[in-house]
């Protein structure tokens, strides 16, 4: 029988989702907990592979086992056993042909940036020390929807068989929850927070962070829309912008 686990994690202390020798990973923690609770070795397959430091608000993984599982009780026990930076939302039985990775129709990522120093954002958003033209960056982001080959944003020397992706959404969104807190001369607000939302059927290794880094080049005035378009068409990673830090990236949603 096949079961899906829906969960979230803070990736700060992990070397990504996938099991790696001599490094801690989210997959290793989940497999360890399931194996202990189900009293037999359990292998889990995730919806995707997040990199070192990357977070997930909603991630899915599946496992197979030859016995009936009390899903509600298993979710409760997992949350008791797993580290505090991994939280299970639910466990559910699914059809045997459902696959956490290959059955997913789309995945959505958010990348967070802020342009004013804020100690409460430092672990989950990337502080930028320059002004950005978000309107121009959104015009560049719209160009992504015209293409299906994103080799320009794929990490070099990976073993991917294809660099084709169907991107259905790509835009910068300002965080609207603006509050001013004033105490004498001291004040702060959240007006300088934005996130990049991108949805596709699949993503290449390092793709989102490379796309964000290249869009920021546009926002800084260091790359024109025409040059951005040529980067996409050229399919060369060396022509695109730098890969942004992982701590500001969240896997936001997986749709089946």
């Amino acid at each position: 029988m096949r079961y899906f686990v829906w969960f979230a994690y803070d990736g700060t202390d992990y070397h990504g989702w996938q099991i790696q020798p001599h490094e801690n990973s989210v997959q290793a923690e989940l497999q360890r907990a399931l194996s202990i609770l189900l009293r037999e070795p359990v292998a889990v397959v995730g919806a995707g592979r997040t990199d070192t430091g990357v977070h997930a608000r909603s991630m899915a993984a599946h496992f197979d086992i030859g016995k009936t599982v009390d899903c509600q009780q298993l979710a409760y026990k997992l949350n008791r056993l797993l580290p505090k930076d991994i939280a299970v939302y639910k466990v559910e039985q699914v059809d045997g042909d459902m696959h956490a990775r290959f059955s997913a129709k789309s995945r959505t990522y958010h990348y967070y940036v802020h342009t004013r120093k804020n100690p409460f954002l430092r672990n989950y958003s990337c502080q930028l020390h320059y002004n950005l033209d978000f309107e121009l960056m959104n015009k560049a982001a719209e160009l992504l929807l015209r293409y299906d080959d994103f080799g320009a944003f794929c990490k070099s020397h990976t073993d991917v068989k294809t660099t084709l992706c169907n991107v259905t959404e790509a835009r910068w969104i300002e965080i609207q929850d603006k509050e001013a807190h004033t105490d004498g001369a001291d004040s702060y607000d959240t007006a300088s927070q934005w996130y990049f939302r991108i949805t596709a059927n699949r993503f290449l290794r390092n793709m989102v962070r490379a796309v964000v880094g290249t869009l920021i080049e546009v926002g800084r005035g260091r790359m024109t829309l025409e040059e951005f378009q040529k980067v996409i068409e050229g399919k060369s990673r060396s022509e695109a912008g730098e890969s942004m830090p992982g701590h500001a990236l969240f896997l936001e949603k997986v749709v089946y």
Side-chain angles (χ1 to χ4, degrees):
M1 287 172 279
R2 178 159 291 184
Y3 293 86
F4 260 45
V5 183
W6 292 91
F7 57 102
Y9 56 86
D10 179 333
T12 302
D13 294 330
Y14 297 97
H15 288 259
W17 157 258
Q18 191 173 22
I19 290 177
Q20 301 179 43
H22 315 301
E23 303 288 359
N24 196 19
S25 71
V26 180
Q27 185 182 25
E29 291 288 351
L30 185 59
Q31 284 193 175
R32 180 187 65 84
L34 282 168
S35 298
I36 291 172
L37 294 172
L38 297 174
R39 302 175 184 272
E40 64 180 77
V42 175
V44 298
V45 177
R49 294 185 294 182
T50 56
D51 291 332
T52 299
V54 176
H55 319 288
R57 277 191 231 278
S58 182
M59 173 69 148
H62 78 250
F63 67 91
D64 296 321
I65 194 167
K67 58 186 177 184
T68 301
V69 170
D70 184 328
C71 295
Q72 188 172 353
Q73 270 298 307
L74 181 58
Y76 170 76
K77 291 178 180 179
L78 281 169
N79 279 323
R80 299 264 302 187
L81 185 58
L82 284 165
K84 292 180 179 180
D85 48 14
I86 303 175
V88 171
Y89 297 142
K90 114 179 134 169
V91 178
E92 60 181 342
Q93 186 176 353
V94 297
D95 293 337
D97 59 354
M98 278 289 291
H99 194 284
R101 180 180 175 189
F102 299 124
S103 297
K105 295 180 180 178
S106 71
R107 299 160 175 84
T108 297
Y109 281 89
H110 287 181
Y111 193 93
Y112 291 83
V113 301
H114 58 288
T115 57
R116 185 176 305 162
K117 187 176 182 180
N118 187 323
F120 306 110
L121 298 177
R122 70 188 189 282
N123 291 328
Y124 306 103
S125 178
C126 182
Q127 183 182 354
L128 303 176
H129 302 278
Y130 33 75
N131 294 323
L132 293 170
D133 186 338
F134 284 97
E135 183 178 352
L136 188 62
M137 289 160 67
N138 265 333
K139 289 180 180 179
E142 289 177 6
L143 295 173
L144 295 169
L145 277 62
R146 302 182 187 178
Y147 295 89
D148 58 10
D149 194 326
F150 295 94
F153 309 111
C154 181
K155 186 173 183 178
S156 302
H157 310 299
T158 56
D159 57 354
V160 294
K161 296 179 180 179
T162 175
T163 53
L164 299 180
C165 305
N166 179 27
V167 176
T168 55
E169 180 183 22
R171 59 195 174 106
W172 287 93
I173 301 169
E174 184 178 10
I175 295 178
Q176 296 295 327
D177 183 20
K178 300 178 181 179
E179 294 183 10
H181 302 261
T182 305
D183 181 11
D186 300 322
S187 67
Y188 67 89
D189 60 53
T190 61
S192 57
Q193 295 179 52
W194 292 72
Y195 66 91
F196 178 63
R197 178 180 174 91
I198 184 168
T199 301
N201 64 325
R202 65 188 291 264
F203 287 92
L204 307 172
R205 182 91 182 270
N206 230 209
M207 176 175 162
V208 179
R209 291 192 283 151
V211 167
V212 172
T214 312
L215 288 171
I216 285 174
E217 291 293 289
V218 175
R220 296 181 67 182
R222 296 167 55 163
M223 182 183 292
T224 66
L225 291 177
E226 292 75 18
E227 289 169 337
F228 181 78
Q229 193 165 354
K230 288 180 180 178
V231 166
I232 302 173
E233 294 172 351
K235 305 175 188 177
S236 172
R237 180 66 187 92
S238 62
E239 298 300 318
E242 68 178 57
S243 181
M244 300 297 289
H247 74 277
L249 181 61
F250 287 74
L251 173 59
E252 197 72 17
K253 181 170 64 173
V254 183
V255 174
Y256 291 90

